[in-house]
PDB file of all heavy atoms in Angstrom:
ATOM      1  N   LYS A  56      83.497  78.392  -1.573  1.00  0.00           N
ATOM      2  CA  LYS A  56      83.389  78.187  -0.127  1.00  0.00           C
ATOM      3  C   LYS A  56      83.264  79.520   0.607  1.00  0.00           C
ATOM      4  O   LYS A  56      82.483  79.642   1.556  1.00  0.00           O
ATOM      5  CB  LYS A  56      84.578  77.368   0.379  1.00  0.00           C
ATOM      6  CG  LYS A  56      84.524  75.905  -0.100  1.00  0.00           C
ATOM      7  CD  LYS A  56      85.690  75.092   0.387  1.00  0.00           C
ATOM      8  CE  LYS A  56      86.794  75.124  -0.630  1.00  0.00           C
ATOM      9  NZ  LYS A  56      87.909  74.214  -0.319  1.00  0.00           N
ATOM     10  N   LEU A  57      83.999  80.536   0.171  1.00  0.00           N
ATOM     11  CA  LEU A  57      83.858  81.867   0.775  1.00  0.00           C
ATOM     12  C   LEU A  57      82.454  82.427   0.559  1.00  0.00           C
ATOM     13  O   LEU A  57      81.887  83.064   1.451  1.00  0.00           O
ATOM     14  CB  LEU A  57      84.896  82.837   0.214  1.00  0.00           C
ATOM     15  CG  LEU A  57      86.282  82.745   0.814  1.00  0.00           C
ATOM     16  CD1 LEU A  57      87.264  83.598   0.018  1.00  0.00           C
ATOM     17  CD2 LEU A  57      86.276  83.177   2.274  1.00  0.00           C
ATOM     18  N   ALA A  58      81.900  82.203  -0.626  1.00  0.00           N
ATOM     19  CA  ALA A  58      80.539  82.678  -0.893  1.00  0.00           C
ATOM     20  C   ALA A  58      79.542  82.018   0.057  1.00  0.00           C
ATOM     21  O   ALA A  58      78.640  82.673   0.590  1.00  0.00           O
ATOM     22  CB  ALA A  58      80.156  82.411  -2.348  1.00  0.00           C
ATOM     23  N   LEU A  59      79.719  80.725   0.299  1.00  0.00           N
ATOM     24  CA  LEU A  59      78.815  80.016   1.211  1.00  0.00           C
ATOM     25  C   LEU A  59      78.923  80.549   2.631  1.00  0.00           C
ATOM     26  O   LEU A  59      77.909  80.858   3.262  1.00  0.00           O
ATOM     27  CB  LEU A  59      79.102  78.512   1.183  1.00  0.00           C
ATOM     28  CG  LEU A  59      78.560  77.763  -0.026  1.00  0.00           C
ATOM     29  CD1 LEU A  59      79.213  76.393  -0.153  1.00  0.00           C
ATOM     30  CD2 LEU A  59      77.045  77.638   0.065  1.00  0.00           C
ATOM     31  N   ILE A  60      80.139  80.662   3.162  1.00  0.00           N
ATOM     32  CA  ILE A  60      80.253  81.123   4.553  1.00  0.00           C
ATOM     33  C   ILE A  60      79.981  82.618   4.678  1.00  0.00           C
ATOM     34  O   ILE A  60      79.468  83.065   5.702  1.00  0.00           O
ATOM     35  CB  ILE A  60      81.605  80.733   5.206  1.00  0.00           C
ATOM     36  CG1 ILE A  60      82.789  81.341   4.476  1.00  0.00           C
ATOM     37  CG2 ILE A  60      81.703  79.230   5.357  1.00  0.00           C
ATOM     38  CD1 ILE A  60      84.133  81.114   5.158  1.00  0.00           C
ATOM     39  N   GLY A  61      80.298  83.371   3.642  1.00  0.00           N
ATOM     40  CA  GLY A  61      79.965  84.796   3.671  1.00  0.00           C
ATOM     41  C   GLY A  61      78.465  85.003   3.733  1.00  0.00           C
ATOM     42  O   GLY A  61      77.953  85.819   4.500  1.00  0.00           O
ATOM     43  N   CYS A  62      77.750  84.233   2.956  1.00  0.00           N
ATOM     44  CA  CYS A  62      76.289  84.320   2.949  1.00  0.00           C
ATOM     45  C   CYS A  62      75.708  83.834   4.277  1.00  0.00           C
ATOM     46  O   CYS A  62      74.791  84.451   4.821  1.00  0.00           O
ATOM     47  CB  CYS A  62      75.746  83.500   1.786  1.00  0.00           C
ATOM     48  SG  CYS A  62      73.982  83.703   1.501  1.00  0.00           S
ATOM     49  N   ALA A  63      76.247  82.749   4.822  1.00  0.00           N
ATOM     50  CA  ALA A  63      75.766  82.239   6.115  1.00  0.00           C
ATOM     51  C   ALA A  63      75.988  83.275   7.209  1.00  0.00           C
ATOM     52  O   ALA A  63      75.106  83.523   8.034  1.00  0.00           O
ATOM     53  CB  ALA A  63      76.475  80.929   6.465  1.00  0.00           C
ATOM     54  N   GLY A  64      77.170  83.886   7.218  1.00  0.00           N
ATOM     55  CA  GLY A  64      77.465  84.898   8.231  1.00  0.00           C
ATOM     56  C   GLY A  64      76.574  86.125   8.110  1.00  0.00           C
ATOM     57  O   GLY A  64      76.057  86.629   9.108  1.00  0.00           O
ATOM     58  N   MET A  65      76.385  86.599   6.893  1.00  0.00           N
ATOM     59  CA  MET A  65      75.540  87.777   6.703  1.00  0.00           C
ATOM     60  C   MET A  65      74.070  87.464   7.004  1.00  0.00           C
ATOM     61  O   MET A  65      73.363  88.286   7.578  1.00  0.00           O
ATOM     62  CB  MET A  65      75.710  88.314   5.282  1.00  0.00           C
ATOM     63  CG  MET A  65      77.084  88.935   5.052  1.00  0.00           C
ATOM     64  SD  MET A  65      77.355  89.492   3.365  1.00  0.00           S
ATOM     65  CE  MET A  65      76.193  90.851   3.264  1.00  0.00           C
ATOM     66  N   SER A  66      73.624  86.265   6.632  1.00  0.00           N
ATOM     67  CA  SER A  66      72.219  85.885   6.857  1.00  0.00           C
ATOM     68  C   SER A  66      71.889  85.746   8.335  1.00  0.00           C
ATOM     69  O   SER A  66      70.766  86.006   8.754  1.00  0.00           O
ATOM     70  CB  SER A  66      71.908  84.560   6.156  1.00  0.00           C
ATOM     71  OG  SER A  66      72.039  84.690   4.763  1.00  0.00           O
ATOM     72  N   SER A  67      72.856  85.323   9.131  1.00  0.00           N
ATOM     73  CA  SER A  67      72.601  85.069  10.555  1.00  0.00           C
ATOM     74  C   SER A  67      72.981  86.245  11.457  1.00  0.00           C
ATOM     75  O   SER A  67      72.647  86.246  12.642  1.00  0.00           O
ATOM     76  CB  SER A  67      73.380  83.830  10.997  1.00  0.00           C
ATOM     77  OG  SER A  67      74.778  84.043  10.872  1.00  0.00           O
ATOM     78  N   ASP A  68      73.646  87.239  10.938  1.00  0.00           N
ATOM     79  CA  ASP A  68      74.241  88.296  11.749  1.00  0.00           C
ATOM     80  C   ASP A  68      73.243  89.035  12.648  1.00  0.00           C
ATOM     81  O   ASP A  68      73.473  89.165  13.849  1.00  0.00           O
ATOM     82  CB  ASP A  68      74.971  89.296  10.846  1.00  0.00           C
ATOM     83  CG  ASP A  68      75.832  90.249  11.633  1.00  0.00           C
ATOM     84  OD1 ASP A  68      76.924  89.832  12.059  1.00  0.00           O
ATOM     85  OD2 ASP A  68      75.408  91.411  11.830  1.00  0.00           O
ATOM     86  N   VAL A  69      72.175  89.515  12.093  1.00  0.00           N
ATOM     87  CA  VAL A  69      71.220  90.311  12.872  1.00  0.00           C
ATOM     88  C   VAL A  69      70.608  89.484  13.996  1.00  0.00           C
ATOM     89  O   VAL A  69      70.528  89.934  15.146  1.00  0.00           O
ATOM     90  CB  VAL A  69      70.116  90.901  11.956  1.00  0.00           C
ATOM     91  CG1 VAL A  69      68.997  91.535  12.766  1.00  0.00           C
ATOM     92  CG2 VAL A  69      70.719  91.912  10.988  1.00  0.00           C
ATOM     93  N   ASN A  70      70.201  88.251  13.679  1.00  0.00           N
ATOM     94  CA  ASN A  70      69.576  87.400  14.694  1.00  0.00           C
ATOM     95  C   ASN A  70      70.569  86.983  15.776  1.00  0.00           C
ATOM     96  O   ASN A  70      70.211  86.897  16.949  1.00  0.00           O
ATOM     97  CB  ASN A  70      68.939  86.170  14.045  1.00  0.00           C
ATOM     98  CG  ASN A  70      67.725  86.546  13.222  1.00  0.00           C
ATOM     99  OD1 ASN A  70      67.005  87.471  13.549  1.00  0.00           O
ATOM    100  ND2 ASN A  70      67.510  85.840  12.135  1.00  0.00           N
ATOM    101  N   LEU A  71      71.821  86.711  15.391  1.00  0.00           N
ATOM    102  CA  LEU A  71      72.821  86.367  16.402  1.00  0.00           C
ATOM    103  C   LEU A  71      73.150  87.571  17.274  1.00  0.00           C
ATOM    104  O   LEU A  71      73.363  87.429  18.479  1.00  0.00           O
ATOM    105  CB  LEU A  71      74.087  85.822  15.738  1.00  0.00           C
ATOM    106  CG  LEU A  71      73.974  84.429  15.115  1.00  0.00           C
ATOM    107  CD1 LEU A  71      75.264  84.063  14.388  1.00  0.00           C
ATOM    108  CD2 LEU A  71      73.625  83.386  16.163  1.00  0.00           C
ATOM    109  N   ALA A  72      73.174  88.752  16.700  1.00  0.00           N
ATOM    110  CA  ALA A  72      73.460  89.968  17.479  1.00  0.00           C
ATOM    111  C   ALA A  72      72.412  90.177  18.571  1.00  0.00           C
ATOM    112  O   ALA A  72      72.729  90.667  19.656  1.00  0.00           O
ATOM    113  CB  ALA A  72      73.532  91.194  16.569  1.00  0.00           C
ATOM    114  N   ARG A  73      71.174  89.793  18.312  1.00  0.00           N
ATOM    115  CA  ARG A  73      70.123  89.918  19.332  1.00  0.00           C
ATOM    116  C   ARG A  73      70.407  89.027  20.539  1.00  0.00           C
ATOM    117  O   ARG A  73      70.000  89.330  21.649  1.00  0.00           O
ATOM    118  CB  ARG A  73      68.765  89.550  18.746  1.00  0.00           C
ATOM    119  CG  ARG A  73      68.202  90.594  17.836  1.00  0.00           C
ATOM    120  CD  ARG A  73      66.749  90.280  17.484  1.00  0.00           C
ATOM    121  NE  ARG A  73      66.404  90.965  16.262  1.00  0.00           N
ATOM    122  CZ  ARG A  73      65.961  90.380  15.163  1.00  0.00           C
ATOM    123  NH1 ARG A  73      65.762  89.077  15.132  1.00  0.00           N
ATOM    124  NH2 ARG A  73      65.688  91.085  14.095  1.00  0.00           N
TER     125      ARG A  73
END
Side-chain angles (χ1 to χ4, degrees):
K56 290 180 268 187
L57 279 171
L59 283 164
I60 61 174
C62 189
M65 290 177 67
S66 296
S67 63
D68 191 77
V69 171
N70 291 327
L71 289 175
R73 286 190 202 122

